[in-house]
Amino acid sequence: MTKYKKEICITFVIFVIFFGIWVFGASSLFIEMSFLPDFWLRVFRDISNLENVFSPVAAFFGGLSAFGTTILIYLQIKLNKKQEQDVRRNIFENQIGQMFLIKNEIIKSLSVEGFPGEIYRGRHVFEFLYESIYYILSKYLDGDKLKKQEISLKKFEDIQQINKIIQSIDEEYGELYSDNKEGTVTIKKVSINSILKIVENQLDEKFKYILAPFYHNVYTMLKMISSNTDISKTERSNYMRMLRSQFTQHEFALIYFHALVYNDKNKFKQLIENTCFFHSLVEGFIFIDITEKEYPGFGYQENAFKHD
């Protein structure tokens, strides 16, 4: 009932106005009564004159009734639209809640073999893959671009899947290696895109695309929240806060790299920027800043991390 308090008040006010007009119209017929004692006699003496007496009043109240009916129909249509919107909002709330649950179930089901005889499950998969990407890029990026992380790189030398990825990069971009003693090279800005694409594709292939449902789930939730016209701007911001609270820093990091190179005409990347999805990403956590400023035409816009 409280949802329609405004509409009920409007209807009541209109009723009071109509009633006042009716009283005024009725009383105007008898306004001369105190001055003309024979008013009733003069008016009703000729029965044939009754139609002429009351026809203007009937026309007036007929028009008033039509106007009132129009107002009531308008209010009813408005109420129906409000009810339909409430139904859609309830459906949306249920769907987004289900998507949250599905995301958690997807993460629980994750499992990969990392080091010989060692299995990573659940959220630990993201940590393992994040460190794997760091190890791979450390082979190619110098210290100016790659932030130092508290990660032991030596342990990754025994992981066959990771070594095959490095081999694939060497075969396609072998000319990137320098001849200095350290064997490192600074990749040009335009080349980071190609390197990340190989890393993304090879990780998917080597680990059987286990993260594909996760990425699709995240994209769908962002799309649902950002495109919903039945919620207000404040409600949309609250839903985004709820969504961000579901992710660990390593999960953010994997999405960070994936959306940059995923072959969807940058739709995922643009959604992230438009919704400020990385607002909860700890500054400095990602070991390489791939921003529009550093990598024009490829990196993230600032609004992916900070609100306007």
Side-chain angles (χ1 to χ4, degrees), residues 132-142 146 169 185 187 192 195-196 199 257 287-288 290:
S132 299
I133 295 174
Y134 177 75
Y135 170 73
I136 294 169
L137 293 185
S138 69
K139 296 287 185 179
Y140 305 98
L141 297 176
D142 63 10
L146 197 66
I169 297 174
V185 66
I187 297 178
I192 190 66
I195 297 298
L196 285 177
V199 172
F257 293 117
F287 51 75
I288 180 172
I290 307 178

Side-chain angles (χ1 to χ4, degrees), residues 208-263:
K208 300 179 181 179
Y209 301 92
I210 61 169
L211 293 185
F214 170 78
Y215 293 136
H216 183 68
N217 175 272
V218 176
Y219 176 86
T220 302
M221 287 191 287
L222 286 175
K223 187 72 173 178
M224 289 174 60
I225 295 173
S226 64
S227 63
N228 193 319
T229 58
D230 293 320
I231 57 177
S232 65
K233 185 177 180 180
T234 300
E235 290 172 323
R236 185 173 291 106
S237 297
N238 290 335
Y239 276 114
M240 283 305 305
R241 291 189 185 98
M242 292 170 58
L243 178 61
R244 295 189 200 101
S245 69
Q246 305 287 316
F247 295 88
T248 66
Q249 293 300 301
H250 290 104
E251 290 170 17
F252 275 128
L254 267 292
I255 297 170
Y256 181 95
F257 293 117
H258 171 78
L260 284 170
V261 296
Y262 184 60
N263 187 24

